[in-house]
Amino acid sequence: MGRSKIGSFGTDFDSPNWLSLDPCGILCVTFSFSLHVFAVVAIILTCLSNSLPAKIIFGACYVPAALMALWSLFMATTTDPGAVPMGARPLPSNLASESDSVVTERDPSRGGLRRRRGIRRCRKCNDNYKPARAHHDSVTGRCVVKMDHYCPWVGNAVGIMNHKFFILFILYTFLSAILSGVLILIKIIRCKYYSPQVDSTPAGCGLDPTNTGVLFALVVITIMFFCFTCCMLLEQSEAVSTNMSKIARMKTRAGLVGAGEYAPVATEFNEVFGTPGPTWRWLVPTPVRFPEWAADNVLGYDWDACYPCAPYQEPADTDGDSMSSGTSGRSGVSSRVSVEGGDGQLIDSSVTALGPPRDVEAGGNLTTLDQEPLEQELLMEDRSEQSAVKKRSPPSLT
């Protein structure tokens, strides 16, 4: 769907309140919320009658778990996942090296590929600066720092600032499913539904057609929630332990980037939860707060409200540096090469892999490139993005 805005809500650069307006995402979020509410009502109608243990478990455990799941869902849906703001610029400590990098990208005017010297930019975000660990999300239309994936069940991209809420949502949904299963088992054992020969029906165990249908739906939802969230928790445990997003792990394993390209910026805290741990704060869906000394490095860009709301322009002298010896004109700073895919993502990181300096656009002179290997890289990126979009309709489990 891309960037959109209705009133003060949206994913556009000037939207004060973050909310993805993708119809598929809105439908799936509504469905997620409705299933939790239905499970609560179904348990009250079918599992609590004349059973003190069931009432205690429901009030002391199930209701808090369901409320925490809904709170986490709300936070995951309405929190900016880490979208790069318009006007963002490289960190001052990285400006020199990033300005000396060589970017390979598509040439919209001439077709094919071209190489230029300069910082990473995303053409789908109006050539806005793109930090090294950011990836463009085609649904929200924004580059998201440490993007893990787009999840229709929370209606949002999962990135550095809301990854915690996504994990807590599936964790508390998992606990709700377990507790729901326990309440169903208490009902079955007390009423002896497993035995075809019962002399008398205990109080509260009668099943009319309506209650039977509600109980059956509750069983189906419980099993579905349990299986889905169990698989997701196992998958997300790797993101917590490695401090790397799913996209970063996939690209690293495929050899598209070096092992250190998407590495965490520090080991003193967990980047998913924002603090060292584990601690009790990890279990509460409150906003992520990184240590002040590391916040800018985690996000990978410098931004202030006073910056112009326009793509950052590099200093004029960075474009004229010489590349005659395979290194930049600045002494001691080696040139880096990045390959920008169909969504503006960077793949390669070594200038020597791209051939001699004559292939680089310097001073406005664009030369012919050996495009076959680069086209294969970009084609793979395009197919990956198209596949991700197709999987969203009809909605499927994240």
Side-chain angles (χ1 to χ4, degrees), residues 135-148:
H135 301 277
H136 186 85
D137 174 40
S138 58
V139 181
T140 60
R142 298 286 295 276
C143 285
V144 177
V145 177
K146 282 196 69 178
M147 177 179 169
D148 192 82

Side-chain angles (χ1 to χ4, degrees), residues 59-126:
C61 299
Y62 184 87
V63 171
L67 291 177
M68 291 294 281
L70 293 176
W71 183 9
S72 301
L73 173 61
F74 174 79
M75 294 297 291
T77 302
T78 60
T79 298
D80 183 338
V84 181
M86 177 59 70
R89 57 187 64 183
L91 296 173
S93 58
N94 299 337
L95 179 57
S97 59
E98 291 205 31
S99 295
D100 276 336
S101 65
V102 178
V103 182
T104 300
E105 61 186 9
R106 296 188 186 277
D107 187 347
S109 60
R110 307 181 188 181
L113 305 176
R114 68 175 182 180
R115 289 175 180 165
R116 63 170 178 82
R117 183 196 300 276
I119 63 174
R120 300 174 178 89
R121 296 184 182 275
C122 178
R123 62 182 180 85
K124 292 187 176 182
C125 289
N126 302 332

Side-chain angles (χ1 to χ4, degrees), residues 166-315:
F166 172 75
I167 293 177
L168 290 181
F169 169 61
I170 58 178
L171 171 63
Y172 286 118
T173 301
F174 175 73
L175 294 178
S176 299
I178 292 177
L179 294 170
S180 176
V182 170
L183 293 172
I184 293 172
L185 286 176
I186 292 176
K187 173 80 171 182
I188 293 174
I189 294 173
R190 191 178 75 84
C191 295
K192 298 181 180 180
Y193 290 144
Y194 54 85
S195 176
Q197 297 179 349
V198 179
D199 295 335
S200 61
T201 301
C205 291
L207 287 178
D208 56 50
T210 301
N211 283 346
T212 301
V214 172
L215 183 60
F216 177 77
L218 178 63
V219 172
V220 173
I221 292 174
T222 298
I223 295 174
M224 180 184 68
F225 272 4
F226 176 82
C227 295
F228 166 56
T229 54
C230 182
C231 294
M232 287 301 301
L233 282 175
L234 291 175
E235 193 271 337
Q236 288 298 313
S237 63
E238 188 175 4
V240 176
S241 61
T242 62
N243 270 334
M244 295 177 64
S245 67
K246 181 189 296 184
I247 294 177
R249 298 196 303 273
M250 292 175 61
K251 284 193 170 186
T252 301
R253 290 169 182 168
L256 298 178
V257 296
E261 184 76 13
Y262 296 128
V265 300
T267 58
E268 289 82 0
F269 60 92
N270 187 278
E271 290 188 0
V272 174
F273 296 95
T275 61
T279 69
W280 64 269
R281 291 182 177 85
W282 286 22
L283 300 177
V284 182
T286 52
V288 176
R289 295 287 184 267
F290 298 106
E292 186 176 351
W293 58 268
D296 288 343
N297 287 328
V298 170
L299 296 176
Y301 62 82
D302 178 32
W303 184 83
D304 191 271
C306 65
Y307 290 171
C309 189
Y312 169 71
Q313 299 300 320
E314 304 160 80

Side-chain angles (χ1 to χ4, degrees), residues 99-100 117 314-322 330:
S99 295
D100 276 336
R117 183 196 300 276
E314 304 160 80
D317 61 347
T318 59
D319 291 332
D321 291 341
S322 171
R330 295 186 176 95

